[in-house]
Amino acid sequence: MPREAEPSLNERAFVVQALQEGLRLDGRAFDQFRGLDLKFGDHYGVADVTLGKTRVLANVSAEVTAPYIDRPFDGIFTITTELSPMASPAFEVNRPTETEVLLSRLLEKTVRRSNALDTESLCLIAGQKCWSIRVDLHVLSHDGNLIDGSCLAVVAALRHFRRPDTSIEGETLTVYTPAEREPVPLSWLHSPFCITFSFYGEEGEIMLLDATLLEEQLRVSSCIISLNKHGEICQIAKLGGTPVEAVSLIQCASAALTKGKELSTLLDQKLAEDSKRRDKGGLLAELSAENER
Amino acid sequence: MPLDTSTYDLALLRVDGRRWNELRRLDGQIRTQAAADGSSYLEMGNTKVMCVVSGPSEDKRRGQTSASTATGSNAADVAVSVVVAGFSSVDRKKRGRGDKRIQELQTTISKALASNLHTHLYPRSTISISLNVLSQDGSLLAALINASTLALIDAGIPMTDYLVACTAGSTSSYAANDDRADPLVDLNNQEEQELPFLTMATLGATDKVAVLVCESRVQVSRLEGMMAAAADACKGVRDFLDQVIREKGHKMVTEGTIEKGASMAIEIDA
Amino acid sequence: MASTQQQHLLLSPAELAYLHITLSQQPPIRADGRTATQFRPLTAETGILPGTNGSARVCFADGTEAVVGIKAEVERTRKQGIDYAKQRRPRNKQKQQQKKIAEEEVEVGDGESEDGDEEGAVHEPTGDSDWVKMTVEIPGLRDDDSGTVFLATMLSEALLADGEFAKKLWINRRFHWKLYLDIILISSPLSYPLPLLSLTTHLALLATRLPRLKSEADEDPMFDDDWAASQFIYPRQGDDNTSPSTSGTRPPITLLVMAVGDNIIFDPSKEELAVADSALAVSVGETTGDADGAVDVDEEGKASRNLRLLSVRTIDPPSRLTAPGIPNAVNAAAWGQGAVVAKDPGARAAETDEVEGVWKAPRGGAKIAVLGAMVAKVLEKGGVADEVLEGLYGVELG
């Protein structure tokens, strides 16, 4: 199984020395994100996030199915991540690497366990029928900071998604196609975002946001903080690595809050733009009785 | 301790009678397994964990994937395997080896120990740590880390300092910005299910954080209090572990070391 | 992920020859001075896990260690189409089934009387084996590894062989106990772990208690909250609430027996297994005395129990594995592959001929007579199996 090429000793020394002098390889500030772009697809529920050279695509789909036996009042919500060799030669299909396991666990904790999506609203007939929402995450290109990009893509896709409308008369459940009835958005409670901090130096005293792949390979430890714009932390994960002063981590948390609010405004803005775009030529226009003449 | 019907505010005592900064009953033993290089048994309240260490030994899997640390292949590999017994929780539940939650635990412990142990002294070798969870009652990751530290010391693998861990929680709910909310230390299972909590591992008695894991929703402003409480508790745990090691060392010196092959009786408190 | 590998014990030809020769003497001379039927000392304790219905931990002298925890849950019996109404018998013996920690509230019918009563809650065989679930965890091996699965099968087969055990789990027509046995090997598998796991399971079963049943007939089972009122699944002799004749059934044990030449040797260490001619795993159970109270009270607890053979399985001892460093010319497993004409034509002959003072790996099978003798030796009255069962019975239940 091929491994990622490790940075050479020269590269390693150069990058670390530059960081100690306050310089980053691509000239960014230590707490600056790369160019972040968020695009929505034509179908509802497709979100494409570009973070520098990292590109992630999230796709949401829904189907009606039976709920879990031990949770008859909840719908089913799953996030699947599969890293394919398209993103990096180190990834193999069906062989989860450590990166993949961590990514899927982080998304699970950030989006699923924090109840960003109200699963009770997905229930149709208790114990028999419910919606199963499935988010498929595809990593198209890996240049560092998969986690932040993936989380944003997942949240954006879920907020963008519209599921078919349903109605229940007595025992029969009717699911309407988009042509019959306008699809409805999901019941969304809060929007969590992940921010990854990378640490460098003997004591982990240098802190970077949004590391590129090269910077990721050279870091001595990392901390991923997920929170929403209200300042609620959904999860923190500093999984080993060089020990870092507790004070630094507290500072990270407040930095994360600022960044999270920025991401939240960005997402709201993009969603508004997209719905305006759809409205212009979309179904809503057709539904109206006005015509152009 | 339920949030709504909490009696905490009345007497400032938790359900099991502890105050906010009291740890549960700690019990630790080392050299419990005669045939292993290092072994330990740790109880934090009702959480019971056994650890067996073998190594450093010859690395048979070289050339394949290795944890991409900055040190590359000039350091020993720390391979951790966690087995949670089916009978460890109140309901019997079999957990497969491929469970992602368990894999995450393994990765966390492995990375934390790799930065603490002097792995550069053993290039091209593997240190295998095998953890068995016999009973779970909260603070699982913390107990696993503490037990690993004990077993590694028993195996004689050099390290910078004790790697100790503890959990800390908060009595506030995630939405409230409650300044009166108290941090709590060393949560049991019931408290973990109802309150936000985090697990923190520090390097000995310093304030350097090696591991910080929080999986529940909590206000940012509560974070500092929880971390400070956890750091204090970790100091207490470090003193306890140190005492366990020193007592055993004293016994070994006065009574003579026990050879491999002789049967050993350890007391596991019921 | 932890790479604990089974190490092939590396013994030199001189050591192998020495072991084989000394073990073939009459009487056999063992490296640690034991007799052929003497067991090594072991440490055993029960009741180590208060969260389980029964638990035990056994450490062998060579450092191997195992822990077993047993939990029970009430489960609804799927109807098998058998008229259970006929199976009510007047209770001569108090055989009450108990349940897990007292949160459950299930009514349980009368425990049926056991002990030779054929009609007492007859279950379909499939129902029986389903009520007991055994899992084995060996460090370093996957769950679906053939070695692990084989061990679990052997252990559960011994337990369910006589069909009596599953009857203890019957509550009433609608409910039964589902018993989960989780066996964990703590040390790495240095030597064949079967006897250790079997003894630990045996002890854990002896220590297992189920809550006392309070409800009647076929109602939803209801149990006594008081754990002190719970009763052992294998009732102990001298208990107030068991009459003499139900005591006497014990869980089975599996012993490892090996043969070298004409000698039969028990509790072999891994060095001794390396020169074994053949090895067997013999599962032995105990039957009760005569049916329905005809057992003389004085007879109980005597050394002679009614031992019953439950299963015999052959084990491949390490002596039959090819040791590392053997060239293909003399490695029987490689003969016939490829057109390698032995550079040394005498090699093949050297491999198969008997040479005085040199140990060669055993070829072919074991004689039936030897196998028969091994099994008979295990079942001997007052012999090894008896001693082991006595010893385990004497362990204080925590």
Side-chain angles (χ1 to χ4, degrees):
Chain A
M1 187 168 155
R3 287 163 47 185
E4 272 300 345
E6 290 205 6
S8 66
L9 289 174
N10 270 346
E11 280 181 297
R12 187 185 300 262
F14 184 80
V15 172
V16 172
Q17 176 72 20
L19 283 174
Q20 298 202 333
E21 291 179 13
L23 296 169
R24 235 171 134 165
L25 215 55
D26 49 6
R28 287 185 280 153
F30 280 19
D31 58 353
Q32 189 184 351
F33 263 57
R34 288 170 283 181
L36 177 58
D37 191 24
L38 172 57
K39 285 201 283 282
F40 294 103
D42 285 336
H43 289 287
Y44 281 119
V46 178
D48 184 350
V49 169
T50 313
L51 190 58
K53 287 200 211 144
T54 300
R55 193 148 166 220
V56 180
L57 184 75
N59 184 18
V60 181
S61 54
E63 68 168 355
V64 180
T65 176
Y68 292 131
I69 306 173
D70 53 348
R71 300 231 183 101
F73 298 109
D74 276 339
I76 300 179
F77 174 38
T78 48
I79 304 175
T80 53
T81 55
E82 259 186 31
L83 303 177
S84 70
M86 178 162 54
S88 156
F91 301 142
E92 239 179 60
V93 189
N94 282 337
R95 188 92 74 91
T97 56
E98 199 182 288
T99 324
E100 204 260 305
V101 171
L102 276 175
L103 177 62
S104 89
R105 280 293 298 164
L106 278 166
L107 287 175
E108 167 105 13
K109 285 194 267 187
T110 305
V111 182
R112 273 195 53 176
R113 281 192 54 166
S114 71
N115 263 332
L117 178 65
D118 182 17
T119 43
E120 281 190 10
S121 70
L122 298 175
C123 178
L124 292 166
I125 304 177
Q128 289 172 42
K129 294 249 179 276
C130 70
W131 281 111
S132 165
I133 305 288
R134 186 195 153 106
V135 185
D136 287 298
L137 189 74
H138 304 277
V139 175
L140 303 174
S141 154
H142 176 30
D143 188 32
N145 208 6
L146 277 184
I147 294 166
D148 296 3
S150 308
C151 182
L152 182 60
V154 168
V155 170
L158 283 167
R159 281 180 64 174
H160 188 245
F161 181 65
R162 302 278 180 272
R163 64 166 173 82
D165 196 6
T166 57
S167 71
I168 303 183
E169 288 136 28
E171 283 286 332
T172 36
L173 173 70
T174 326
V175 179
Y176 298 104
T177 64
E180 294 173 348
R181 273 207 206 173
E182 189 72 11
V184 273
L186 296 171
S187 167
W188 193 249
L189 296 174
H190 72 106
S191 301
F193 300 100
C194 284
I195 323 282
T196 309
F197 295 88
S198 311
F199 299 99
Y200 301 82
E202 284 281 323
E203 311 267 311
E205 64 272 12
I206 304 174
M207 188 182 82
L208 285 186
L209 268 180
D210 190 19
T212 60
L213 183 58
L214 176 62
E215 289 169 339
E216 252 183 31
Q217 286 169 320
L218 299 175
R219 66 183 173 199
V220 297
S221 92
S222 72
C223 181
I224 302 137
I225 301 183
S226 306
L227 37 66
N228 60 24
K229 68 176 184 218
H230 306 291
E232 289 158 16
I233 294 182
C234 304
Q235 69 91 33
I236 304 181
K238 180 190 185 297
L239 307 178
T242 305
V244 163
E245 284 289 340
V247 181
S248 315
L249 289 173
I250 312 255
Q251 286 169 352
C252 288
S254 10
L257 182 54
T258 329
K259 202 71 208 176
K261 288 185 178 153
E262 272 179 44
L263 288 173
S264 176
T265 357
L266 173 72
L267 178 59
D268 289 336
Q269 182 199 351
K270 291 279 178 184
L271 279 170
E273 274 175 26
D274 180 76
S275 68
K276 224 188 294 182
R277 182 178 64 85
R278 281 173 190 275
D279 259 357
K280 264 209 320 219
L283 288 172
L284 279 175
E286 277 179 30
L287 288 175
S288 111
E290 265 178 52
N291 41 26
E292 278 148 16
R293 276 183 251 132
Chain B
M1 193 178 68
L3 289 176
D4 292 328
T5 60
S6 166
T7 53
Y8 182 71
D9 288 330
L10 298 176
L12 293 182
L13 286 179
R14 291 141 88 177
V15 180
D16 48 9
R18 288 185 289 150
R19 296 197 185 279
W20 69 275
N21 59 352
E22 279 176 20
L23 295 167
R24 288 180 284 180
R25 181 187 68 95
L26 290 169
D27 181 36
Q29 296 160 46
I30 57 169
R31 199 146 286 206
T32 54
Q33 230 268 308
D37 291 330
S39 54
S40 69
Y41 173 73
L42 181 72
E43 281 183 25
M44 286 176 81
N46 280 331
T47 301
K48 300 179 170 69
V49 170
M50 257 181 165
C51 179
V52 171
V53 166
S54 2
S57 55
E58 187 194 331
D59 203 4
K60 300 212 166 54
R61 300 172 297 116
R62 268 297 148 196
Q64 296 180 18
T65 52
S66 58
S68 53
T69 56
T71 47
S73 62
N74 285 334
D77 224 2
V78 179
V80 174
S81 121
V82 173
V83 172
V84 179
F87 47 75
S88 58
S89 44
V90 174
D91 291 324
R92 191 257 176 198
K93 191 173 170 241
K94 170 101 175 95
R95 287 155 194 87
R97 294 277 179 98
D99 187 20
K100 287 206 171 142
R101 191 173 149 253
I102 295 192
Q103 283 187 338
E104 192 192 358
L105 281 175
Q106 289 173 178
T107 316
T108 310
I109 300 173
S110 165
K111 285 203 177 134
L113 291 171
S115 62
N116 186 32
L117 298 173
H118 290 191
T119 48
H120 58 270
L121 295 173
Y122 308 106
R124 297 174 294 281
S125 348
T126 302
I127 300 172
S128 307
I129 302 175
S130 177
L131 288 152
N132 286 296
V133 180
L134 300 176
S135 171
Q136 285 189 64
D137 189 25
S139 297
L140 181 61
L141 177 59
L144 291 172
I145 291 177
N146 293 332
S148 309
T149 302
L150 279 179
L152 285 165
I153 294 178
D154 185 35
I157 297 177
M159 56 174 78
T160 314
D161 197 344
Y162 288 80
L163 186 66
V164 284
C166 193
T167 51
S170 172
T171 53
S172 77
S173 70
Y174 58 80
N177 215 336
D178 197 353
D179 282 331
R180 286 179 299 113
D182 282 332
L184 298 176
V185 148
D186 197 11
L187 282 73
N188 59 30
N189 198 23
Q190 187 196 7
E191 289 169 341
E192 273 185 7
Q193 279 171 350
E194 287 166 350
L195 299 174
F197 75 100
L198 51 78
T199 307
M200 189 161 111
T202 59
L203 199 62
T206 65
D207 263 342
K208 290 187 186 300
V209 175
V211 176
L212 180 61
V213 178
C214 175
E215 292 176 357
S216 29
R217 277 166 80 175
V218 68
Q219 276 288 332
V220 179
S221 42
R222 302 270 71 77
L223 188 64
E224 192 170 348
M226 283 159 69
M227 283 174 69
D232 268 339
C234 285
K235 291 192 175 74
V237 176
R238 191 228 181 251
D239 291 336
F240 170 75
L241 294 185
D242 194 37
Q243 192 193 358
V244 168
I245 302 280
R246 284 181 196 278
E247 273 175 13
K248 181 70 180 178
H250 180 79
K251 233 167 113 181
M252 282 165 73
V253 165
T254 49
E255 295 171 12
T257 50
I258 300 178
E259 288 154 14
K260 265 192 208 181
S263 61
M264 302 229 16
I266 68 172
E267 297 115 34
I268 303 185
D269 295 334
Chain C
M1 235 167 85
S3 54
T4 45
Q5 276 136 25
Q6 233 162 340
Q7 292 116 8
H8 187 106
L9 195 62
L10 295 171
L11 294 173
S12 67
E15 284 174 308
L16 290 169
Y18 169 80
L19 283 166
H20 188 83
I21 289 173
T22 51
L23 289 174
S24 316
Q25 304 287 320
Q26 290 287 356
I29 304 171
R30 294 173 86 166
D32 46 10
R34 291 185 280 153
T35 66
T37 53
Q38 193 178 351
F39 274 63
R40 283 167 294 180
L42 54 81
T43 319
E45 43 191 349
T46 60
I48 53 174
L49 302 168
T52 56
N53 289 63
S55 56
R57 172 178 171 265
V58 172
C59 303
F60 272 5
D62 61 1
T64 48
E65 187 180 330
V67 167
V68 172
I70 298 183
K71 282 184 91 73
E73 279 176 12
V74 187
E75 205 178 53
R76 203 173 270 275
T77 310
R78 275 169 296 155
K79 292 247 180 287
Q80 303 282 354
I82 289 181
D83 188 4
Y84 287 102
K86 289 206 192 105
Q87 279 127 30
R88 292 294 210 59
R89 290 277 169 228
R91 275 183 289 155
N92 343 4
K93 299 119 201 199
Q94 292 287 312
K95 178 89 174 152
Q96 286 140 2
Q97 312 289 357
Q98 290 133 5
K99 203 87 148 113
K100 187 168 50 158
I101 327 273
E103 281 108 46
E104 302 275 11
E105 292 220 328
V106 189
E107 292 171 301
V108 173
D110 296 348
E112 18 80 45
S113 58
E114 217 200 346
D115 217 24
D117 247 352
E118 243 77 344
E119 286 93 352
V122 170
H123 310 285
E124 295 292 337
T126 50
D128 275 2
S129 45
D130 279 347
W131 293 1
V132 174
K133 188 145 173 21
M134 212 180 272
T135 52
V136 176
E137 289 268 5
I138 310 261
L141 294 182
R142 292 158 52 100
D143 289 353
D144 48 3
D145 186 77
S146 56
T148 318
V149 172
F150 193 53
L151 278 172
T153 315
M154 276 200 277
L155 290 168
S156 58
E157 161 190 273
L159 188 60
L160 299 167
D162 59 359
E164 291 293 314
F165 182 70
K167 292 186 192 167
K168 295 177 194 276
L169 301 176
W170 192 88
I171 300 173
N172 63 20
R173 278 190 292 159
R174 294 161 55 220
F175 293 92
H176 61 263
W177 287 109
K178 175 121 186 217
L179 211 64
Y180 295 96
L181 288 93
D182 292 298
I183 304 169
I184 303 187
L185 187 66
I186 307 273
S187 53
S188 49
L190 301 166
S191 54
Y192 198 63
L194 184 60
L196 171 65
L197 298 180
S198 165
L199 292 187
T200 321
T201 314
H202 176 101
L203 255 186
L205 281 167
L206 277 182
T208 303
R209 310 169 73 127
L210 296 173
R212 191 178 74 87
L213 188 59
K214 276 206 308 203
S215 60
E216 304 269 326
D218 276 341
E219 326 168 299
D220 284 343
M222 178 124 53
F223 297 93
D224 197 336
D225 280 0
D226 186 8
W227 188 243
S230 64
Q231 285 171 324
F232 289 98
I233 202 172
Y234 284 96
R236 313 280 287 174
Q237 288 170 6
D239 271 352
D240 293 332
N241 43 9
T242 57
S243 55
S245 25
T246 45
S247 59
T249 44
R250 303 264 167 271
I253 53 166
T254 305
L255 295 176
L256 200 58
V257 193
M258 76 173 223
V260 177
D262 289 327
N263 287 329
I264 298 172
I265 295 171
F266 288 86
D267 191 23
S269 65
K270 52 187 192 285
E271 292 84 12
E272 291 164 351
L273 270 179
V275 296
D277 286 342
S278 56
L280 286 182
V282 182
S283 296
V284 170
E286 199 188 35
T287 57
T288 57
D290 301 315
D292 289 88
V295 178
D296 192 349
V297 182
D298 287 339
E299 299 264 34
E300 288 165 21
K302 255 174 52 175
S304 57
R305 306 150 182 272
N306 288 340
L307 292 177
R308 199 153 64 134
L309 180 66
L310 295 173
S311 80
V312 175
R313 280 184 183 254
T314 52
I315 305 284
D316 259 344
S319 51
R320 290 182 185 263
L321 295 173
T322 308
I326 304 284
N328 270 357
V330 297
N331 180 8
W335 291 348
Q337 289 174 14
V340 175
V341 175
K343 289 183 186 143
D344 174 11
R348 207 171 270 207
E351 179 60 10
T352 44
D353 287 349
E354 290 271 332
V355 177
E356 177 90 44
V358 176
W359 179 80
K360 303 254 169 65
R363 293 183 182 289
K367 296 203 177 68
I368 303 237
V370 171
L371 294 179
M374 283 160 87
V375 174
K377 193 98 196 264
V378 171
L379 293 175
E380 223 170 41
K381 276 212 191 304
V384 178
D386 263 344
E387 268 179 46
V388 173
L389 286 168
E390 260 324 306
L392 288 175
Y393 193 69
V395 174
E396 204 178 287
L397 297 181

